[in-house]
Amino acid sequence: MPGENLSREEARERGQLLTVDGYDVALDVRSAVARGADAATFRSRTTIRFRCAEPGAASFADLLAPSVGTVTLNGRELDPAEVFDGTRIALADLAAENTLVVDAQCAYSRTGEGLHRFVDPEDGAVYLYTQYEPADARRVFANFEQPDLKAPFTFEVTAPEGWLVLGNGAQEGPAEAGRHRFATTKPISTYITAVVAGPYHYVTDTYRRTFEDGTELTVPLGALCRKGLARHFDADDVFTVTKQGLDFFHDHFDFPYPFGKYDQAFVPEYNLGAMENPGCVTFREEFIFRGKVTEASYERRANVILHEMAHMWFGDLVTMHWWDDLWLKESYADFMGSFAQVGATRFTDGWITFANRRKSWAYRADQLPSTHPITADIRDLEDAKLNFDGITYAKGASVLKQLVAYVGQDAFLEGARRYFKRHAYGNTRLADLLTVLEETSGRDLAAWSRAWLETAGVNSLTPQVTYDAQDRITELSILQEAALPVHQPAPPTGTPELRPHRVAVGLYRRLDADSALVRYARAEVDVAGPRTAVPELAGIERPELILVNDEDLTYCKTRFDEGSLATLRARLGDLTDPMARALCWAAVWGLTRDGLMPARDFLELVRRFAGAETVVGVLQSVLGQAEAALEHYVAPEYRERATRELSEGALRELRLAEPGSGHQLSWARHFAAVATTPADLQLLRGLLDGTAKIDGLAVDQELRWAFLLPLAAHGAADEAAIGAELARDDTASGKRHQVRCLAARPSAEVKAAAWADVVDSDALSNALVEATLSGFAQPSQRELLVPYAPRYFAVIERIWRERSIEIGMSVVRGLFPSWQVDRASLEAADAWLAERPEAAPALRRLVREERDDLARALRAQACDEAAGARP
């Protein structure tokens, strides 16, 4: 990635110097349907009108392109060979008012960055879409690639006749000779401009709203996907959630949707979940379900739809100055996604899912050596790319959830309304948001901001309780442990970071010997400092379980006293409240990851109580955690037995689950993931060929691939069997599954070929790189993978240097030798880090994160091994 970076200081200097008045961008993508080298590039002609605060000064425009034909500045032709270095166009002697025209040949992408070109193997149709965040618009047109240089954009796209072409603005009139012209946008940042083009299947609808003052708003709605997915496309449900979201945000934001139309494009080989391009939101097409999925999948899709919709206001209408304040859009969108989901849709368990699944992502990220404050120190674009993480999204959303409890929902939403009106089409920093929230709440938020937004790490909260002779509470306190990891410098006071927490403390017990665990007492308290008493609960009868973050009001690691932990070991499944149960599952998983609960004990909880879990999203999360514990945290000498016990439990629950239910499907997929014995594999084969049946389980195409993967990984399905399955499902999705299964086969030759495909070649698309990586490292194939640990450390610098950042991140993470949990692997990672202090900071960060996961696995395995040695 040489020369592609942009530092914060460079952006700041350019932002102070330039003001952009508008872009006219003309793209000719008719070459997309050509073959071979003729389909490599497209013509991009950009006109930028901008002002310079210091006439005579120099600056630069951004462009990543194979070649530039002409560059004209203020009517003066510049020699491209002299001013263009492959990434930047040098601009000298600027006038007060300037016009820059750049005519270039830009490259189609196969990595999901820039203008991605996809050829559908099913019918040969070509599909295009753009993806830019944080800085890949420069792969498509010349620009000033930083979020604070917003401007109106006018796009014109010439495409093959008959193609559907969409942009941020509505198309102006019918296309002529394949030329589509779009309405000029409001001022927006480069990274949220968008073009989608191809023979997409397109469905339309309309949203209408009448406001209290009598004004009306009409928003044309569109939803699109590849033709090959049209038969699976439930556009009506997408439109239902879309309309519910628009109503909800209009009710709360008092700022009409500002970008005209609202298209939602489900596109192939997409790297992200979705992207908030105003008027033209893009999603990964996996949100169109080819087979049966659980209600959790629909809930997840609705959450993403609402998350991206919230960005229309938080991020698109009002945008951060620089990526330091990425949280100003992502934390808010993550919070608003769940807030709107619970408040406006059928998915009323949204906060339970958030507590159990989304926050687990945050807790993991916040304990890595790369943890950072929510408002981060982003030095350059590579830093920005890596900070789209669990801290910026889920921790930020958790903190905002607590802020709502702190200042009140009305004050919080009034602050948002003032924020939009005050900064519409502009850029903001942290101080701008705090100003409006202080106005509306009457609170000084400086201390809150410092504690929650400007420091890193996660606190632990543990109950400490004593009882009298009558088994009543004499004193209940909450102990708070430090937030900052040991590798970070301490705050200026020299003491660990202890934050203010607003928490609910719930007391649970059985009303009689055979009844469920129910809450019989509750108190809210403001935790401050290392120890906080809860006097409201003194004198209450002894509980069986004390839950210190009941209702999930704060962001913390929940710990238990010995009595409460014993209760969970004996009857976690007896908790009737789904939120309390989800919080307890998350807490015991945290204990397992931290090496405080043996992995075998966690797996025992899963075997005993997961079958009683009523919230299918929580069940899926718990089963995924069980699979991770089996792979990384179980002591090696216990792994075979643990695998057998887990698969036996999975098969039992699969047969007991309600036929045709989401729970049954979840257990079926989990059984496939842990199946290893000949009997397990024989059952999977029978379910595939129809000789075995489980009442109510429909083995559709997606489930067939899920069953075939373990068969391939254990040598029970060869290349011919995998090829036969592809013949049944000769689609883009089928091709990805086939590549994954082929790479999963237990053969040294197979592993060498998979390694070469991603390390020695860049021929694979981003989606097929991902599929190869996920097939390569199978838990049952540790011996086969041992030779690749030293090779990994020998090649990653070259990979980072030569590939795009998206592919580089995938390969560096996907091939790290996490399958080899031992001291040798840890020492190899340490040696690489010690010997290469000058390696790219973003690359070093990725290796440090993977190394930290490896060290955590070693600690967890030691804990599990010690448990096995107990008498």
Side-chain angles (χ1 to χ4, degrees):
M1 293 161 267
E4 296 183 13
N5 212 347
L6 175 72
S7 73
R8 177 175 51 203
E9 290 308 311
E10 289 175 312
R12 181 178 295 145
E13 290 175 6
R14 188 166 62 176
Q16 292 172 345
L17 186 67
L18 306 182
T19 302
V20 186
D21 295 314
Y23 287 83
D24 292 307
V25 180
L27 306 177
D28 187 339
V29 298
R30 288 175 293 182
S31 59
V33 295
R35 295 186 177 184
D38 292 336
T41 63
F42 59 94
R43 186 182 180 188
S44 170
R45 190 175 191 275
T46 306
T47 301
I48 314 175
R49 298 174 302 281
F50 64 100
R51 286 168 281 146
C52 178
E54 301 175 13
S59 189
F60 61 92
D62 301 295
L63 179 67
L64 299 176
S67 65
V68 172
T70 62
V71 178
T72 304
L73 178 63
N74 298 331
R76 183 176 77 254
E77 288 197 12
L78 309 179
D79 184 352
E82 293 182 0
V83 299
F84 179 60
D85 65 2
T87 63
R88 295 180 177 185
I89 301 170
L91 305 175
D93 194 24
L94 292 172
E97 297 186 358
N98 303 272
T99 300
L100 173 68
V101 182
V102 179
D103 200 325
Q105 287 293 314
C106 294
Y108 293 110
S109 166
R110 296 206 69 206
T111 67
E113 301 151 294
L115 181 59
H116 188 82
R117 177 179 179 269
F118 172 78
V119 181
D120 193 332
E122 190 170 0
D123 57 11
V126 175
Y127 295 90
L128 305 177
Y129 65 85
T130 57
Q131 171 56 38
Y132 298 149
E133 191 174 39
D136 285 318
R138 55 193 172 145
R139 297 181 185 274
V140 177
F141 59 93
N143 61 58
F144 300 115
E145 188 84 283
Q146 58 191 76
D148 60 337
L149 287 178
K150 299 174 83 167
F153 286 81
T154 304
F155 276 88
E156 181 181 282
V157 180
T158 304
E161 294 274 4
W163 270 23
L164 174 73
V165 182
L166 299 172
N168 299 99
Q171 182 169 312
E172 294 185 325
E176 297 182 4
R179 182 173 298 168
H180 306 251
R181 186 172 177 83
F182 299 94
T184 301
T185 71
K186 298 289 188 180
I188 58 176
S189 302
T190 54
Y191 76 91
I192 50 176
T193 58
V195 171
V196 176
Y200 285 93
H201 170 71
Y202 187 55
V203 185
T204 62
D205 202 336
T206 304
Y207 169 81
R208 293 182 174 85
R209 170 88 176 197
T210 301
F211 296 101
E212 290 183 359
D213 63 1
T215 60
E216 296 184 353
L217 175 69
T218 300
V219 180
L221 305 178
L224 55 149
C225 67
R226 287 185 297 115
K227 291 185 295 184
L229 286 174
R231 65 186 182 276
H232 305 293
F233 193 20
D234 52 341
D236 287 347
D237 192 50
V238 171
F239 287 138
T240 294
V241 174
T242 301
K243 293 176 183 179
Q244 290 170 333
L246 286 169
D247 272 339
F248 185 86
F249 292 131
H250 283 131
D251 286 343
H252 290 86
F253 287 170
D254 192 30
F255 197 112
Y257 171 70
F259 296 111
K261 69 179 181 69
Y262 200 79
D263 285 317
Q264 295 175 99
F266 294 80
V267 297
E269 298 190 323
Y270 202 56
N271 289 322
L272 311 178
M275 184 65 207
E276 67 266 22
N277 315 304
C280 191
V281 183
T282 42
F283 298 82
R284 63 186 303 116
E285 69 177 15
E286 285 78 4
F287 283 124
I288 297 174
F289 307 121
R290 300 197 316 146
K292 181 178 175 60
V293 296
T294 70
E295 188 69 2
S297 295
Y298 291 100
E299 180 188 70
R300 169 66 177 147
R301 183 175 70 183
N303 183 274
V304 174
I305 288 171
L306 296 169
H307 175 115
E308 303 309 321
M309 187 181 294
H311 273 310
M312 299 300 115
W313 290 268
F314 286 106
D316 295 357
L317 177 67
V318 184
T319 312
M320 67 276 157
H321 269 279
W322 177 249
W323 303 101
D324 291 349
D325 282 313
L326 175 63
W327 80 280
L328 282 174
K329 71 184 189 75
E330 295 301 349
S331 297
Y332 266 86
D334 221 46
F335 169 79
M336 285 293 172
S338 294
F339 185 50
Q341 189 174 39
V342 172
T345 77
R346 67 184 185 272
F347 303 107
T348 54
D349 286 340
W351 285 124
I352 297 174
T353 306
F354 180 83
N356 185 263
R357 293 176 64 93
R358 201 67 173 168
K359 288 178 77 171
S360 291
W361 179 33
Y363 294 142
R364 176 189 176 271
D366 216 5
Q367 296 174 83
L368 289 170
S370 56
T371 186
H372 56 85
I374 293 172
T375 176
D377 179 23
I378 304 299
R379 298 162 297 183
D380 54 33
L381 291 177
E382 288 190 7
D383 276 359
K385 185 72 173 180
L386 269 61
N387 264 46
F388 288 82
D389 61 11
I391 297 172
T392 302
Y393 285 71
K395 180 180 179 180
S398 302
V399 168
L400 290 175
K401 187 169 183 271
Q402 187 184 56
L403 180 63
V404 172
Y406 180 56
V407 302
Q409 181 173 304
D410 291 343
F412 179 82
L413 292 171
E414 177 58 25
R417 291 188 280 269
R418 294 188 190 185
Y419 181 72
F420 299 143
K421 292 171 182 175
R422 194 169 298 176
H423 302 287
Y425 308 109
N427 296 86
T428 57
R429 297 182 174 89
L430 168 63
D432 298 305
L433 180 67
L434 293 182
T435 295
V436 294
L437 289 174
E438 288 178 338
E439 290 174 2
T440 58
S441 69
R443 292 179 180 266
D444 182 352
L445 295 178
W448 175 87
S449 174
R450 183 198 170 280
W452 282 107
L453 302 180
E454 301 167 46
T455 61
V458 53
N459 298 113
S460 296
L461 301 183
T462 307
Q464 185 181 69
V465 61
T466 58
Y467 303 98
D468 62 19
Q470 286 73 45
D471 255 0
R472 294 183 178 275
I473 295 174
T474 55
E475 185 176 29
L476 173 60
S477 299
I478 299 175
L479 307 183
Q480 179 178 189
E481 295 181 20
L484 288 181
V486 295
H487 66 272
Q488 286 203 328
T493 60
T495 59
E497 184 65 41
L498 300 177
R499 298 191 177 102
H501 298 263
R502 181 70 176 177
V503 300
V505 181
L507 305 185
Y508 291 78
R509 68 177 181 184
R510 292 168 293 169
L511 299 181
D512 56 63
D514 298 321
S515 66
L517 283 169
V518 296
R519 189 171 70 188
Y520 67 99
R522 174 191 182 277
E524 283 196 26
V525 62
D526 289 315
V527 172
R531 183 177 181 278
T532 303
V534 190
E536 297 90 336
L537 297 178
I540 293 178
E541 292 182 359
R542 178 191 288 265
E544 293 181 75
L545 169 67
I546 303 171
L547 187 55
V548 295
N549 187 28
D550 208 357
E551 301 174 21
D552 195 40
L553 298 185
T554 193
Y555 172 83
C556 71
K557 289 198 286 187
T558 297
R559 302 302 199 207
F560 301 102
D561 64 291
E562 289 185 8
S564 295
L565 191 55
T567 296
L568 292 178
R569 291 180 188 276
R571 52 182 60 87
L572 189 157
D574 290 343
L575 277 165
T576 57
D577 181 74
M579 173 63 89
R581 202 169 53 244
L583 292 170
C584 289
W585 276 119
V588 294
W589 174 240
L591 291 170
T592 307
R593 289 191 74 248
D594 289 348
L596 300 175
M597 171 180 280
R600 65 190 66 195
D601 290 5
F602 177 77
L603 295 181
E604 179 66 15
L605 290 172
V606 174
R607 286 194 297 271
R608 293 181 61 197
F609 303 124
E613 180 52 58
T614 59
V615 180
V616 71
V618 174
L619 173 64
Q620 289 176 263
S621 177
V622 168
L623 296 181
Q625 290 161 354
E627 293 160 20
L630 188 64
E631 181 177 353
H632 298 293
Y633 301 153
V634 165
E637 62 272 15
Y638 178 65
R639 187 175 291 123
E640 182 177 350
R641 175 183 166 187
T643 303
R644 184 179 66 254
E645 291 176 347
L646 201 59
S647 66
E648 289 171 355
L651 182 57
R652 180 187 69 249
E653 296 297 341
L654 171 58
R655 296 188 186 281
L656 290 173
E658 180 185 346
S661 66
H663 285 69
Q664 184 187 55
L665 178 60
S666 300
W667 283 110
R669 289 185 170 276
H670 176 57
F671 173 69
V674 299
T676 59
T677 68
D680 292 344
L681 299 177
Q682 184 179 358
L683 176 57
L684 292 177
R685 171 58 65 192
L687 290 169
L688 283 174
D689 64 23
T691 59
K693 300 285 185 183
I694 292 177
D695 185 28
L697 183 66
V699 184
D700 58 30
Q701 188 59 63
E702 284 299 297
L703 198 54
R704 290 185 64 85
W705 284 114
F707 289 170
L708 188 60
L709 180 62
L711 291 172
H714 291 283
D718 58 14
E719 184 174 1
I722 298 167
E725 198 63 39
L726 179 64
R728 291 177 57 107
D729 185 26
D730 193 9
T731 64
S733 299
K735 180 63 177 176
R736 290 195 297 273
H737 286 302
Q738 179 224 16
V739 167
R740 183 177 295 109
C741 288
L742 289 173
R745 291 172 295 157
S747 155
E749 293 76 19
V750 165
K751 299 307 173 188
W755 176 273
D757 284 344
V758 297
V759 172
D760 301 329
S761 169
D762 63 355
L764 294 181
S765 69
N766 56 324
L768 296 185
V769 166
E770 179 185 357
T772 303
L773 291 172
S774 65
F776 178 82
Q778 294 297 309
S780 60
Q781 299 169 0
R782 289 175 175 83
E783 294 302 317
L784 274 176
L785 300 174
V786 166
Y788 292 96
R791 296 184 201 178
Y792 169 87
F793 291 108
V795 301
I796 54 175
E797 281 188 286
R798 174 177 64 80
I799 293 293
W800 194 259
R801 192 168 55 246
E802 295 177 357
R803 306 294 177 85
S804 73
I805 191 169
E806 193 69 45
I807 297 298
M809 289 165 57
S810 295
V811 173
V812 171
R813 285 173 170 154
L815 290 180
F816 185 88
S818 56
W819 59 81
Q820 192 172 327
V821 182
D822 57 23
R823 285 286 164 195
S825 297
L826 195 67
E827 290 168 0
D830 287 340
W832 186 90
L833 289 165
E835 293 165 6
R836 290 166 176 81
E838 302 305 319
L843 173 59
R844 285 179 56 83
R845 169 177 168 167
L846 290 172
V847 174
R848 289 172 64 219
E849 289 178 347
E850 296 298 326
R851 184 259 180 217
D852 190 75
D853 279 341
L854 184 61
R856 179 179 291 274
L858 280 169
R859 293 192 298 271
Q861 288 189 7
C863 173
D864 195 57
E865 185 177 5
R870 291 189 306 231

